[in-house]
Amino acid sequence: MNMKKQIIIILFAGLALLSSCYDAMNEVPLERMPPEIAFKDSIKVEMFVNELYVGLNTGLGGYNRFGGGSANQNSFFDCVTDLGVLSPVSTNTEVNSFTRATFHSGSGGNKDARWAETYQLIRKTNIVLAYIHYCETLSEARMAQYIGEAKLHKAILHYEMLKRYGGISIMDELFEGGDINIPRNTFDECVEYIVRLCDEAAAGLPLRYPDNDYGRLTKGSALGLKARVLLYAASPLFNESPIANTTELQRYASPDRTRWERAANAAYDVINLRLPDGTLAYELYPSYERLFFTREGNRELLIMRMQGLTNNVEKRNGPAGFPGATGNTSLTQEFIDMFELKSGKLSKDDPAYDPQKPWENRCERFKASVLYNGSSWWDGEVETYVGGKDYTALNSTAKGCVTGYTLRKHLDPEVRISGVEKNTYHDWPILRFAEILLSYAEAANEYYTTSDDEMVDDELIYTYVNLIRSRAGLPPVENKTKGEMRTIIHRERTVELAFEEIRYFDLRRWREAETILNRPVHGVQIIKDESTGEFVYSNPIEVEDRIFPERCYYYPIPQSEMNKNMVLTQNPGW
């Protein structure tokens, strides 16, 4: 059997169920057709393109997608950062491999490697792009859309590898055998390749689809990914603050401040995208809490991982004392301390703050992100005090809250997980408009001001940050220096985008991971006075130590791939 037929068999293996009814009406089964026949029919072409969306469901973020155990043992990836802790503490091998920096290049050594599966998915995009022109019945607009979708999927997949490894081997064309020794491209080449794919995809993609195509990639998706990639590439790790022994495979040859300008311009282009009627294509959804469960009228999500109606997120992360919930995710004191009070001050800077009532006068995002002792939840109250129904001790292997605070974000209070169950939409936000606003603010702040002591005078920086703060019920910021504004923007990104798989890679690109992820995380113990019913919060206590050596700024290339491709160069420190 020739290589082309083998390719079609591989691609359509995942489509067997979708195509079985169609195949029954054809003399030749779909998966056995040569490409010039399979791609001639527009229905089959659409099936090929739809299959590419599997890539968005494979490792590109997700609820409790990390951990490798049964559902009630899996973790948000953010639990390897300073934001959260998987409960019970230190009992999950995959999570431990990141918090203790023991992941490695050997077989099974890094469950977030994604090397082989990503190249398999890239291959599928190349199949579509190589053969789609066999179809003569597609309209010009539909042909451009499908090509745009395939190119953007390919860009997303290359970016997912770039952020993990630095420069990788660009796979631009369909590989049909021969010499598989393909060297890595430089970091610069990979960035420019992804940006080019985004621009080409944007040219063929619409800004909106009919409701029955909700969730497909759009022009805004393409330009939004471009903005993310350019912000990533402008960051210190790849410019002025590289780690030791890196080369142009992992970073630029020399730093260049104009990369911040390019990132700011790319974000600005997304912010100002307009629909044919002149209205802005994207906007913040009014409710921070409800944006994660709402499709109708929600113009904040640019790229999402689509899911049907479910209550699995609530089951895995709801407080453990409620029937059906396992309480996987405890929140650290470090995360709690990042939430400003309604005064616009941090708790350490506000004399009115009462550490015995840490929930009082917090911003709206706090209420939508954190369940604390005494919170009303479902048909009861949260009890994270010692001995409470939602509590577990640090040395226990039982499920429960170990820090005094448990996850509220992504949990819908209207869902029910026991008795008569009720579900909701849980579309995972891969990229949303709030991130684009903060990307402009970060890039413009770094480019348009030179010294950290210089006052920021770009009004758009304040405008875009304050749009997000306003939704959170916080006062606007103004009259800040570059250094002060950097601190605010970094904190806004952390709080706004928490538990969306942004934090880990932000800390790496800022070159802050070896500090922030290289020390213990903390919580509090809450003691109930049985005689008065009052609760006493302890000072912060250490919950789990964390380790982040310099080598962890880049993942190790799996040794199995190094063995296949003899010209691959391993990342430093591995």
Side-chain angles (χ1 to χ4, degrees):
M1 184 179 292
N2 66 35
M3 179 61 69
K4 289 184 177 179
K5 288 183 179 179
Q6 290 177 348
I7 291 167
I8 297 302
I9 290 173
I10 292 169
L11 180 57
F12 273 94
L15 290 173
L17 292 177
L18 292 174
S19 61
S20 59
C21 294
Y22 189 94
D23 292 347
M25 298 183 291
N26 289 273
E27 183 177 348
V28 180
L30 184 60
E31 69 272 13
R32 294 184 181 275
M33 292 182 182
E36 59 269 21
I37 296 177
F39 277 87
K40 192 171 184 178
D41 189 319
S42 61
I43 295 175
K44 301 187 189 81
V45 171
E46 183 178 14
M47 293 170 65
F48 270 103
V49 175
N50 289 345
E51 175 72 1
L52 300 181
Y53 283 85
V54 171
L56 297 183
N57 297 325
T58 311
L60 269 69
Y63 303 101
N64 300 90
R65 65 103 176 163
F66 197 63
S70 60
N72 67 355
Q73 295 176 327
N74 284 354
S75 172
F76 278 86
F77 192 71
D78 276 22
C79 284
V80 307
T81 76
D82 57 331
L83 303 185
V85 177
L86 176 66
S87 171
V89 176
S90 302
T91 58
N92 186 290
T93 302
E94 290 184 13
V95 174
N96 290 349
S97 73
F98 273 72
T99 59
R100 297 174 181 174
T102 58
F103 64 89
H104 55 82
S105 63
S107 177
N110 180 2
K111 295 300 184 181
D112 195 47
R114 298 199 69 241
W115 188 281
E117 58 264 45
T118 300
Y119 275 112
Q120 290 168 3
L121 292 166
I122 291 171
R123 181 177 180 79
K124 291 185 178 184
T125 68
N126 285 331
I127 289 172
V128 172
L129 293 170
Y131 299 130
I132 191 171
H133 294 287
Y134 282 121
C135 187
E136 299 175 353
T137 59
L138 287 175
S139 68
E140 184 177 342
R142 187 54 60 92
M143 176 72 77
Q145 175 199 319
Y146 287 165
I147 291 173
E149 287 179 274
K151 287 186 175 182
L152 185 50
H153 279 291
K154 183 156 65 167
I156 292 170
L157 293 165
H158 277 83
Y159 166 69
E160 287 296 315
M161 297 285 277
L162 179 77
K163 76 179 185 182
R164 288 167 167 81
Y165 297 98
I168 59 165
S169 304
I170 291 174
M171 200 60 61
D172 189 45
E173 297 179 351
L174 187 57
F175 183 71
E176 295 195 2
D179 186 3
I180 63 170
N181 292 308
I182 304 173
R184 296 170 67 177
N185 290 83
T186 67
F187 181 82
D188 188 3
E189 289 170 340
C190 289
V191 170
E192 294 308 311
Y193 176 71
I194 296 167
V195 168
R196 175 170 67 81
L197 286 176
C198 289
D199 284 336
E200 292 174 356
L205 290 171
L207 270 172
R208 285 284 180 275
Y209 291 98
D211 290 345
N212 62 333
D213 273 333
Y214 177 84
R216 298 189 84 98
L217 297 175
T218 65
K219 180 176 183 176
S221 307
L223 296 180
L225 179 66
K226 174 183 174 180
R228 175 186 275 184
V229 171
L230 289 175
L231 181 79
Y232 189 79
S235 300
L237 179 63
F238 315 107
N239 290 274
E240 69 271 20
S241 301
I243 68 169
N245 300 317
T246 51
T247 68
E248 291 181 47
L249 293 178
Q250 293 89 15
R251 54 165 172 79
Y252 286 110
S254 59
D256 184 347
R257 289 188 64 254
T258 63
R259 294 185 183 116
W260 289 117
E261 180 186 30
R262 194 178 177 199
N265 289 339
Y268 185 80
D269 288 343
V270 180
I271 294 167
N272 287 281
L273 280 174
R274 293 184 181 273
L275 300 173
D277 64 3
T279 59
L280 290 171
Y282 298 101
E283 62 183 2
L284 296 178
Y285 190 71
S287 168
Y288 182 77
E289 174 199 350
R290 299 307 305 171
L291 82 87
F292 301 104
F293 319 121
T294 305
R295 289 182 175 179
E296 185 175 356
N298 188 345
R299 299 197 304 186
E300 183 163 346
L301 298 177
L302 280 73
I303 306 176
M304 75 283 293
R305 173 182 173 179
M306 299 284 288
Q307 292 193 135
L309 294 167
T310 179
N311 60 7
N312 287 339
V313 183
E314 288 76 14
K315 287 181 176 179
R316 296 173 187 175
N317 302 285
F322 287 79
T326 56
N328 290 22
T329 310
S330 297
L331 306 180
T332 65
Q333 188 65 44
E334 284 78 2
F335 182 40
I336 299 301
D337 289 341
M338 294 182 200
F339 288 93
E340 294 178 23
L341 305 176
K342 290 181 179 178
S343 64
K345 298 178 180 179
L346 295 174
S347 57
K348 65 183 179 62
D349 300 323
D350 193 329
Y353 172 70
D354 183 355
Q356 296 303 314
K357 297 178 180 179
W359 64 88
E360 275 194 344
N361 297 317
R362 294 281 189 174
C363 70
E364 294 302 314
R365 277 183 308 215
F366 182 89
K367 299 174 184 176
S369 302
V370 181
L371 287 172
Y372 51 87
N373 187 59
S375 295
S376 295
W377 186 248
W378 288 326
D379 299 320
E381 279 194 356
V382 175
E383 299 178 0
T384 58
Y385 62 87
V386 175
K389 69 179 188 299
D390 304 308
Y391 165 83
T392 192
L394 284 175
N395 59 357
S396 172
T397 57
K399 283 291 184 181
C401 181
V402 295
T403 62
Y405 313 94
T406 189
L407 186 67
R408 164 72 168 78
K409 183 174 178 177
H410 299 304
L411 276 60
D412 190 345
E414 297 178 12
V415 159
R416 292 296 179 268
I417 64 172
S418 62
V420 179
E421 297 190 9
K422 182 180 178 182
N423 300 328
T424 192
Y425 288 113
H426 279 295
D427 297 330
W428 176 258
I430 295 174
L431 178 63
R432 58 187 178 93
F433 188 57
E435 179 184 340
I436 300 298
L437 293 172
L438 291 168
S439 293
Y440 175 87
E442 179 180 347
N445 186 63
E446 296 297 341
Y447 179 70
Y448 291 114
T449 48
T450 305
S451 166
D452 279 6
D453 296 328
E454 184 180 345
M455 298 301 294
V456 174
D457 59 6
D458 180 353
E459 289 301 320
L460 286 181
I461 296 175
Y462 295 117
T463 297
Y464 295 154
V465 170
N466 287 334
L467 280 173
I468 293 171
R469 290 174 63 83
S470 176
R471 179 170 66 177
L474 290 171
V477 293
E478 56 187 358
N479 300 323
K480 301 295 183 182
T481 66
K482 176 182 180 177
E484 291 170 335
M485 204 65 201
R486 181 189 296 120
T487 298
I488 291 169
I489 292 167
H490 284 198
R491 186 168 64 242
E492 284 293 330
R493 279 186 67 92
T494 304
V495 173
E496 174 72 23
L497 304 174
F499 293 92
E500 298 179 37
E501 293 205 13
I502 301 295
R503 179 66 168 168
Y504 183 79
F505 296 100
D506 270 356
L507 289 173
R508 295 204 317 175
R509 70 180 178 87
W510 291 332
R511 189 66 201 273
E512 295 178 0
E514 65 203 273
T515 300
I516 293 175
L517 300 183
N518 205 26
R519 61 193 183 196
V521 293
H522 299 81
V524 293
Q525 278 202 330
I526 308 166
I527 306 298
K528 183 177 183 179
D529 186 326
E530 296 295 344
S531 62
T532 64
E534 294 183 353
F535 297 96
V536 179
Y537 283 70
S538 72
N539 290 325
I541 60 170
E542 182 176 323
V543 171
E544 185 178 41
D545 199 8
R546 301 289 175 86
I547 300 171
F548 191 97
E550 190 176 78
R551 70 173 185 273
C552 290
Y553 276 104
Y554 300 91
Y555 285 5
I557 297 174
Q559 188 60 46
S560 59
E561 302 300 327
M562 301 282 292
N563 294 340
K564 297 174 192 173
N565 183 350
M566 303 305 292
V567 297
L568 282 178
T569 303
Q570 185 59 277
N571 278 326
W574 300 100

